[in-house]
Amino acid sequence: MSKLPLILLFFCAHLCFSQQKPHRPGDELRSLNWDVIGSVKFELNGKNELLPIYGPTINRFKDAEFDLTGYMIPIKSGKKQQKFLLATLPINQCYFCGQNGVPIMIMVELSNAADFTDKPVRVKGILKLANTNASYEPPVSIKNAKVII
């Protein structure tokens, strides 16, 4: 799977998601921590780079332990997942059909691989904010994470 479409999907999330309603409202996860993630804005500079803009809301959590519940969106096939996107909507929701919009997503890197599930998972790790071109890599991630049961 090409990284660019996946990354663009991630960054369009907060724009599209707020404009359209999901098929099944009960599937959408909401929390104060997802609101923190959704506070990141993006700007396209003169070099055609998509750069994140971090406000005080998310900067309070930078390099600190952060806890988030969401749905696993694999970036590689396999039963075990160690690096994946975490989203507010499950993978079986249609992200491209024009009815759901794109959910907010972040990259998660677990310290130990976990089995893929279509049920919500709670992860806890260190919130990292990068100032890189979002067209090539996700700027927001949770690293050294563990799945909390």
Side-chain angles (χ1 to χ4, degrees):
M1 182 184 298
S2 174
K3 287 184 180 181
L4 185 57
L6 188 59
I7 292 169
L8 289 176
L9 175 76
F10 170 80
F11 297 107
C12 293
H14 71 283
L15 297 174
C16 298
F17 188 72
S18 63
Q19 296 172 1
Q20 300 174 358
K21 302 223 182 279
H23 290 294
R24 297 183 307 239
D27 288 341
E28 179 186 2
L29 298 175
R30 293 183 181 260
S31 70
L32 292 175
N33 283 358
W34 275 116
D35 290 344
V36 169
I37 301 300
S39 72
V40 178
K41 305 295 181 214
F42 297 91
E43 73 176 358
L44 194 60
N45 70 9
K47 296 179 183 177
N48 221 20
E49 296 172 321
L50 190 60
L51 301 175
I53 301 170
Y54 301 116
T57 302
I58 197 164
N59 272 318
R60 289 185 319 189
F61 299 97
K62 181 180 180 180
D63 296 324
E65 194 168 77
F66 198 77
D67 170 323
L68 198 59
T69 300
Y71 294 96
M72 285 180 153
I73 309 295
I75 54 176
K76 290 186 180 180
S77 62
K79 182 180 178 185
K80 294 278 190 184
Q81 297 291 315
Q82 191 159 4
K83 186 175 183 178
F84 55 89
L85 293 171
L86 193 69
T88 58
L89 285 173
I91 195 169
N92 66 354
Q93 296 280 337
C94 175
Y95 298 133
F96 305 105
C97 63
Q99 295 179 27
N100 264 355
V102 179
I104 298 171
M105 291 188 267
I106 68 164
M107 184 66 71
V108 173
E109 294 181 35
L110 297 175
S111 51
N112 295 307
D115 288 336
F116 171 78
T117 178
D118 60 355
K119 305 286 187 236
V121 295
R122 182 176 169 204
V123 297
K124 186 183 249 184
I126 305 301
L127 185 69
K128 294 293 186 177
L129 306 177
N131 290 312
T132 57
N133 185 350
S135 299
Y136 297 107
E137 79 181 79
V140 181
S141 62
I142 297 178
K143 299 196 178 207
N144 299 320
K146 292 182 170 54
V147 174
I148 307 298
I149 298 174

